[in-house]
Amino acid sequence: SDIVTMAQELFLRRAEIRDCTKIARLIDDATSTLFSVNNVVAIVEHAILSVTAVDEAGSVLANASFSDYPTADDVSSNSWHNELSAVLETPLLPHDTMFLRFFASDGACQAQALELALKTAFIACPYVNQVVLPISTSAIGSKFWAASPFSKAFSALPKQSSVGAGTMWYECKRSDIIAKGHVRIAAEEDYDDLMPLFESQSTDLEQQFGDFYLAQLIEQQDETNKAFALEVDGRAVGFLSIAGSIDTSLLKE
């Protein structure tokens, strides 16, 4: 099933081996310059997450594959953490870092597919705080890097050593793709933000519980009944109501 959808043009799903022939057709000079591409099947099979973007007709338009270790000549796949700690000013931690191993896309939707793939990676892997992209210094100087969406989506990680000068390291932080939010007690002022969410996701709540159902949940909080709002950028974008008791007769209905 689809993981995330966007703009009614691209749909992301987990990659399948049968996609590989079509993915291989997306590989152009830019892909070959920026990524080490030997075997698409192996890349998809060995990825900890590989997603394919398709259109409404099911045509394969992009693939992004992620790994838990870098594929760079300057570091080993087993001890990369220790080696990079001596190179980068800010150490990368294995438990919250994922690497973009491969990306190929139809040129018409490259930026959209990359953003969608990164968003999906952060949603599917909530422990990941950054996706890192190692790029050879020769590729950075090529025309392909400046024209690619990677140069906008990723920021260079500062180095503290000239060791490993053949590779530049770039990161995309979770906060760059997914806005930070915090959970707090819901207030009456949240009603205007939350009501459109209720109306768009449920058509029978008002019919069953009345026009002021949400307002009552917020206003009638006590020690055993609480309402929480998820706030992002000053707006309530999510809601959770917790009750100390429940009317089981409603469940039977």
Side-chain angles (χ1 to χ4, degrees):
S1 61
D2 294 342
I3 300 176
V4 179
T5 61
M6 181 177 181
Q8 298 183 351
E9 296 179 359
L10 294 184
F11 303 84
L12 229 64
R13 58 169 172 77
R14 290 192 179 275
E16 302 171 351
I17 295 300
R18 63 181 180 179
D19 297 334
C20 291
T21 300
K22 298 175 181 178
I23 294 170
R25 295 174 186 159
L26 297 171
I27 298 174
D28 54 15
D29 291 342
T31 306
S32 300
T33 300
L34 299 177
F35 296 93
S36 174
V37 184
N38 298 317
N39 186 324
V40 174
V41 173
I43 290 174
V44 171
E45 280 188 329
H46 296 155
I48 59 173
L49 176 66
S50 183
V51 290
T52 294
V54 300
D55 60 13
E56 292 183 358
S59 301
V60 172
L61 297 180
N63 174 269
S65 295
F66 302 86
S67 66
D68 55 1
Y69 62 88
T71 52
D73 295 334
D74 299 332
V75 295
S76 67
S77 59
N78 295 324
S79 57
W80 64 266
H81 169 247
N82 293 330
E83 294 172 24
L84 286 181
S85 294
V87 175
L88 301 176
E89 290 185 3
T90 303
L92 296 175
L93 303 176
H95 67 268
D96 70 350
T97 301
M98 192 157 62
F99 297 86
L100 181 58
R101 168 66 181 86
F102 171 81
F103 180 85
S105 173
D106 180 279
C109 61
Q110 193 176 47
Q112 182 185 357
L114 178 62
E115 181 181 357
L116 185 55
L118 290 170
K119 183 176 182 180
T120 299
F122 285 121
I123 292 174
C125 305
Y127 59 89
V128 171
N129 286 323
Q130 59 272 328
V131 171
V132 174
L133 175 62
I135 296 290
S136 67
T137 52
S138 60
I140 295 298
S142 72
K143 62 181 181 180
F144 300 116
W145 174 257
S148 76
F150 306 111
S151 61
K152 298 180 178 64
F154 288 80
S155 302
L157 287 167
K159 287 187 171 184
Q160 64 175 348
S161 169
S162 60
V163 176
T167 302
M168 295 292 292
W169 300 86
Y170 291 79
E171 73 169 349
C172 176
K173 297 180 180 179
R174 170 180 289 272
S175 58
D176 295 335
I177 302 297
I178 300 177
K180 289 185 178 181
H182 72 277
V183 177
R184 55 170 173 74
I185 295 293
E188 294 180 17
E189 294 77 16
D190 298 323
Y191 180 86
D192 290 340
D193 290 333
L194 293 172
M195 199 58 206
L197 299 178
F198 274 74
E199 292 175 341
S200 65
Q201 298 183 24
S202 180
T203 58
D204 59 353
L205 281 177
E206 290 186 7
Q207 297 176 0
Q208 188 171 0
F209 299 108
D211 294 338
F212 304 103
Y213 172 64
L214 175 59
Q216 290 171 350
L217 288 177
I218 296 175
E219 294 173 0
Q220 297 177 1
Q221 297 182 70
D222 54 29
E223 293 183 358
T224 58
N225 297 278
K226 296 294 183 182
F228 299 91
L230 172 63
E231 180 181 313
V232 175
D233 294 332
R235 294 182 61 252
V237 299
F239 180 81
L240 173 68
S241 177
I242 299 177
S245 61
I246 188 170
D247 187 348
T248 56
S249 62
L250 293 176
L251 298 178
K252 296 178 182 178
E253 294 177 5

